[in-house]
Amino acid sequence: MTTITAIIQARTGSTRLPGKVMYPLACQPNLKHVVTRTAYADSVTNIVVATSTKPQDNVIAQYAPTFDANVIRGSESNVLSRFEHAVEEYDPNIVLRITGDCPLISPAFIDTAVERIRTENVDYVCAGLERTFPRGVTCEAFTVESFKQMSDKANEPRHREHVTPYYREHPDEFTLYNLESNEIFDEPWLQNRTDLRLTLDEPADYQLLETVYRKVHYKEMLDVAEVIQYIDETGLIEINEHVEQK
């Protein structure tokens, strides 16, 4: 049986927006939305929130289980070591790397990324080799075999902090796949929307996301297409279009 572990890296010590992972959206912490949307993907077997051992991240460790997520704690700066710990603990076949600042992550993207690993026989799937999605709706997926090979060689500080750069820096060692927006969205107005920021990194991002979660009606889960439609209709993009990605 193939098992897929989604690892959500989260900490409160953001330099631009401290504590952002617990900011409220529709009366629920941002992190809960990330976990809920990840769990909505059919392919996901289990969810692990990987946070640091710093006292300030106790709040994440305390609340994540109430969101039906497991918790692993480790080094704040060596994020890759947290992933190594989670892989050892849960022994998955496929790993998803998700960041805690994506309260609009797409379950369809998650399922399609896993499907591409299975059907295209690739090691690593992302949307960043040639970006066609808004920031904040995608993740990365990779086989556990390639992860172990990569983590053994990823010894530079940037590799340990950012988890996956080694894949993209060494395409000769791995089979990479760039998932594009036309593989998820049929409507042209949803494709190639690199103009949109649906991630939580600065106060302006929170203003946009808080407005969306307050204004767009939903029952179980906010639909990305409806969010983009609302932003287009209201001109909400102006709120955070000036923000530069870190």
Side-chain angles (χ1 to χ4, degrees):
M1 177 182 174
T2 301
T3 58
I4 293 90
T5 295
I7 303 175
I8 301 172
Q9 61 183 75
R11 66 187 181 99
T12 58
S14 166
T15 54
R16 293 191 180 191
L17 197 62
K20 64 183 180 179
V21 293
M22 298 301 291
Y23 271 36
L25 295 169
C27 301
Q28 298 291 345
N30 165 67
L31 183 59
K32 182 174 183 179
H33 291 291
V34 182
V35 172
T36 298
R37 297 179 69 87
T38 300
Y40 207 82
D42 293 331
S43 58
V44 172
T45 306
N46 49 28
I47 299 173
V48 179
V49 171
T51 192
S52 88
T53 53
K54 290 206 167 185
Q56 66 208 45
D57 288 327
N58 289 347
V59 64
I60 294 175
Q62 178 180 345
Y63 275 95
T66 71
F67 310 151
D68 295 324
N70 301 299
V71 177
I72 275 181
R73 306 186 71 172
S75 167
E76 182 181 43
S77 59
N78 188 350
V79 185
L80 181 55
S81 68
R82 293 186 233 158
F83 278 70
E84 292 168 337
H85 182 186
V87 166
E88 182 179 355
E89 180 79 16
Y90 294 96
D91 192 27
N93 303 105
I94 296 171
V95 179
L96 299 166
R97 175 182 177 251
I98 297 169
T99 56
D101 52 9
C102 296
L104 287 173
I105 186 168
S106 166
F109 185 97
I110 293 173
D111 286 334
T112 304
V114 170
E115 190 269 341
R116 292 295 183 271
I117 284 184
R118 288 169 166 166
T119 60
E120 301 296 329
N121 195 30
V122 296
D123 298 312
Y124 170 82
V125 175
C126 73
L129 301 178
E130 186 174 343
R131 198 166 67 87
T132 60
F133 287 91
R135 293 195 183 278
V137 303
T138 69
C139 67
E140 296 165 276
F142 36 90
T143 63
V144 73
E145 291 85 0
S146 69
F147 173 78
K148 291 177 179 179
Q149 177 185 342
M150 178 274 292
S151 65
D152 283 344
K153 298 180 179 180
N155 295 315
E156 296 186 28
R158 71 177 186 281
H159 295 150
R160 309 300 299 184
E161 179 182 359
H162 300 293
V163 184
T164 55
Y166 190 92
Y167 277 112
R168 300 183 295 278
E169 293 172 8
H170 297 84
D172 54 319
E173 296 182 28
F174 306 99
T175 307
L176 312 181
Y177 187 98
N178 189 74
L179 188 55
E180 299 188 3
S181 56
N182 61 9
E183 298 176 66
I184 304 291
F185 301 120
D186 294 329
E187 301 88 339
W189 58 275
L190 291 172
Q191 299 172 7
N192 299 303
R193 294 305 305 269
T194 57
D195 57 322
L196 294 174
R197 284 183 58 84
L198 303 179
T199 186
L200 181 56
D201 196 39
E202 292 205 357
D205 296 328
Y206 179 65
Q207 184 180 356
L208 183 144
L209 290 166
E210 191 279 329
T211 302
V212 163
Y213 264 96
R214 181 162 39 87
K215 294 290 189 179
V216 181
H217 177 73
Y218 70 98
K219 291 184 179 180
E220 294 183 4
M221 188 183 67
L222 195 53
D223 184 79
V224 171
E226 292 182 5
V227 168
I228 294 175
Q229 183 180 21
Y230 178 79
I231 291 173
D232 287 346
E233 289 175 349
T234 60
L236 205 62
I237 188 175
E238 296 178 359
I239 290 178
N240 69 344
E241 63 183 349
H242 67 280
V243 177
E244 295 184 9
Q245 185 67 16
K246 185 176 178 181

